[in-house]
Amino acid sequence: MPSPLQIAFRAGATGAWRIDRIAPVIGESLAPAERLAVTDGSGAAEPGTLWSLRGTTSNTRYATRTEVRTLASRQEGLGRPTASRAALIPIRKTDTWWSLAQDERRVIFEEQSRHIRIGLDTLPGVARRLHHSRELGEPFDFLTWFEYAPEHADAFETMVARLRDTPEWRYVDREVDIRLIRA
Ligand code: HEM
């Protein structure tokens, strides 16, 4: 397990990703912007930033050894030249979710919702990185990031729709869907 990375997603006039659309899924949206920069999150906010979300990579919470092994055998890394599309989906979960015990959350996450099983269907076409924000006092608990080539866009949409239809999503109380094209 590599050391945690601190990442900031900064919306403004500059950045390697052009913002195609920002759509509220549950709750309040985020302000429109031209570009998104994915940068080191340890520094101060830069001038001209419209909004900025910070998160850190972390250890796994729910995936079992078998699932970790399966994921590792199928997933590809970020930054593939063919992956010209990306999605940043910030998510906040309810107080009820956070008051559950770890084993109860795991049951909802995988035994009931099949989150990993559903996600695996899109690998290796979709590359992903999960960032945790809750402990940083941020407006979202998670910043989920995905990169894929245009030919995998339909599979990505199907997968997102399936996830949003699961019992896990009853515990989501804010979600914004930001789609990006490599500039
Ligand atoms: C967590 C896999 C797509 C949102 C996780 C975890 C895995 C995973 C293994 C658990 C990590 C741990 O053990 O702590 C996948 C795969 C996907 C995928 C393989 C397909 C590429 C998505 C999508 C979204 C999403 C499209 C959002 C719409 C989340 C969130 C968590 C999470 C919010 C954190 C859950 C929590 O800790 O409460 N995902 N996922 N995932 N994923 Fe996904």
Side-chain angles (χ1 to χ4, degrees):
M1 177 73 208
S3 302
L5 292 174
Q6 298 186 49
I7 302 289
F9 295 91
R10 296 200 167 111
T14 59
W17 295 92
R18 184 165 62 74
I19 298 179
D20 186 35
R21 65 184 170 90
I22 300 184
V25 181
I26 303 170
E28 198 191 334
S29 193
L30 287 160
E34 288 289 311
R35 295 289 188 103
L36 185 86
V38 185
T39 64
D40 171 37
S42 53
E46 281 161 32
T49 302
L50 290 168
W51 50 258
S52 169
L53 298 171
R54 289 179 313 130
T56 70
T57 59
S58 187
N59 53 281
T60 55
R61 267 70 162 169
Y62 303 112
T64 63
R65 169 52 51 204
T66 308
E67 289 161 350
V68 166
R69 208 179 287 129
T70 308
L71 285 160
S73 71
R74 293 202 210 162
Q75 69 202 1
E76 290 190 4
L78 301 181
R80 293 170 297 179
T82 51
S84 59
R85 300 286 183 276
L88 170 64
I89 307 182
I91 286 178
R92 188 180 67 198
K93 286 186 166 175
T94 61
D95 290 346
T96 307
W97 172 264
W98 292 110
S99 67
L100 295 171
Q102 185 75 9
D103 56 341
E104 295 172 311
R105 291 196 296 257
R106 158 73 200 188
V107 167
I108 297 164
F109 176 83
E110 191 58 28
E111 277 68 33
Q112 294 180 3
S113 302
R114 304 277 176 233
H115 184 126
I116 298 174
R117 197 79 66 80
I118 291 169
L120 274 172
D121 285 349
T122 65
L123 267 48
V126 178
R128 53 180 268 276
R129 192 164 68 195
L130 176 64
H131 310 82
H132 291 255
S133 296
R134 180 172 168 81
E135 283 80 1
L136 304 177
E138 287 277 305
F140 295 92
D141 294 331
F142 306 99
L143 307 175
T144 67
W145 175 259
F146 308 91
E147 294 178 5
Y148 48 93
E151 66 258 35
H152 295 122
D154 287 349
F156 185 78
E157 297 311 332
T158 304
M159 183 256 301
V160 175
R162 285 176 73 195
L163 283 175
R164 288 185 179 139
D165 204 26
T166 62
E168 184 192 355
W169 250 254
R170 288 186 214 139
Y171 299 89
V172 174
D173 70 1
R174 191 174 175 199
E175 177 177 4
V176 182
D177 195 328
I178 302 157
R179 297 306 175 90
L180 308 126
I181 300 172
R182 202 185 285 280

